[in-house]
Amino acid sequence: MQDIFSEVFPGIEIGVAAAICIVAILIVIMTIVSFIVSVVLSIAYIRYNHKKNSLEMTGQEIARKILDENGLTQIKVSACGSLLFGNSYSHYFKKVRLRRFTYKKSSISSMVMATQKSALAIMDKENDPDMKKRNKLIPIVTFGPFAFIPLIIIGALLDVCVLKTNGTCTMICMILGVIFYLYSFLLSITILKTEKKAQVRALDVMKQESIANDQEIIMAQKLFRLYNIEYINNMILALLELIYYILRIVLIVMDSKNAVSKS
């Protein structure tokens, strides 16, 4: 039985190793693609941020106008970091956050971002089902992928310092990390659906409340499209990383079984 195992298993192990190499190459390719998309998005964002909007109102003023007209006077509008933190809406803090680049600037970019984040607040007020899911999932999607490395460290410490086991805790924690990663990836699909829904709502608000003219609507659609492409690229990259981690776990398990069979 051990002879059959030793003959078949190395072939499978080589196949898994080859799959890891292929996935690693795909990760590099998608990283490059994501970088290019991010550069194109940044260029469009900065270019539109140097063009005045037709209302000649700042991002802060437009967000405040939309929120007030929709009975959301309790929602605050504040400035956040220029690069590290992006434009966002927080259900928990009841706040629309705009980048300092757009907060006090009467540009196309400031108008687009202020309207889209205000649209999220409107959807929240209306108890939109997708928005309710987003509010619950945001913490998991944000911090889920970061749990992988800490879990491995915890497992290794348990193996070495506490239980004195031969890598069992590390393996269990690694599998838990992959589960967190997979769950976070699946939930990010719901987040994307909600963001796209808010983009459609933002375009409607721009038209109905005469915030943007036809040319500005086209620019807004381009920005939204680039944001969606970036988000999808990041999701694909996250999925490839997940597959890579799973294959690594499979290879480790195979190595351990192979070592046992030879002993």
Side-chain angles (χ1 to χ4, degrees):
M1 186 70 180
Q2 284 187 353
D3 291 338
I4 295 173
F5 183 83
S6 60
E7 287 177 7
V8 175
F9 202 81
I12 301 174
E13 194 172 356
I14 291 170
V16 173
I20 289 174
C21 292
I22 293 170
V23 173
I25 292 170
L26 290 174
I27 287 174
V28 172
I29 293 171
M30 285 308 303
T31 300
I32 294 170
V33 171
S34 294
F35 175 75
I36 293 171
V37 171
S38 295
V39 170
V40 173
L41 173 59
S42 297
I43 290 172
Y45 188 96
I46 293 170
R47 183 157 62 91
Y48 291 158
N49 206 36
H50 284 84
K51 291 186 176 183
K52 276 190 173 294
N53 59 61
S54 55
L55 288 182
E56 296 190 1
M57 293 174 66
T58 66
Q60 187 270 338
E61 290 170 340
I62 291 173
R64 187 73 272 155
K65 167 184 166 64
I66 294 171
L67 294 170
D68 290 348
E69 289 179 355
N70 285 274
L72 292 167
T73 54
Q74 79 281 11
I75 303 294
K76 296 179 181 178
V77 181
S78 65
C80 64
S82 299
L83 295 174
L84 186 59
F85 300 102
N87 305 295
S88 63
Y89 165 71
S90 173
H91 162 80
Y92 300 100
F93 294 100
K94 303 300 179 186
K95 186 181 291 186
V96 169
R97 300 188 184 98
L98 300 174
R99 280 197 177 105
R100 297 188 190 282
F101 286 145
T102 57
Y103 184 74
K104 287 293 184 182
K105 201 156 188 179
S106 54
S107 66
I108 303 294
S109 293
S110 62
M111 174 199 69
V112 174
M113 292 298 104
T115 308
Q116 199 261 347
K117 300 314 169 188
S118 298
L120 286 170
I122 295 170
M123 289 167 59
D124 195 10
K125 175 195 173 185
E126 295 172 349
N127 291 317
D128 179 88
D130 291 323
M131 189 64 192
K132 289 171 73 173
K133 289 180 186 176
R134 173 192 180 274
N135 294 335
K136 294 176 182 177
L137 301 179
I138 277 286
I140 301 173
V141 174
T142 303
F143 299 108
F146 296 105
F148 188 81
I149 300 301
L151 280 171
I152 293 176
I153 294 172
I154 290 169
L157 290 173
L158 288 173
D159 280 328
V160 175
C161 303
V162 181
L163 302 177
K164 310 293 184 182
T165 52
N166 189 24
T168 304
C169 292
T170 303
M171 180 58 61
I172 292 171
C173 288
M174 191 179 291
I175 292 170
L176 285 174
V178 168
I179 292 171
F180 268 113
Y181 216 106
L182 177 60
Y183 189 54
S184 177
F185 171 79
L186 293 174
L187 296 181
S188 65
I189 297 172
T190 303
I191 302 294
L192 175 60
K193 180 183 176 183
T194 310
E195 290 294 322
K196 290 180 72 174
K197 200 171 183 179
Q199 291 168 3
V200 173
R201 186 63 177 271
L203 293 171
D204 289 340
V205 169
M206 288 179 196
K207 295 172 184 175
Q208 291 170 7
E209 301 186 15
S210 301
I211 291 173
N213 57 37
D214 292 341
Q215 187 178 4
E216 290 169 337
I217 293 292
I218 293 172
M219 293 178 187
Q221 290 172 330
K222 180 179 179 180
L223 275 179
F224 289 152
R225 187 162 55 248
L226 287 172
Y227 269 108
N228 294 338
I229 292 171
E230 182 184 50
Y231 194 91
I232 292 169
N233 281 345
N234 291 338
M235 284 177 60
I236 295 171
L237 188 57
L239 179 60
L240 288 171
E241 289 173 351
L242 174 62
I243 295 171
Y244 178 82
Y245 290 139
I246 292 172
L247 289 172
R248 287 293 300 270
I249 291 173
V250 171
L251 191 59
I252 291 169
V253 172
M254 285 182 172
D255 285 339
S256 63
K257 286 184 177 180
N258 201 16
V260 170
S261 66
K262 289 179 180 177
S263 61

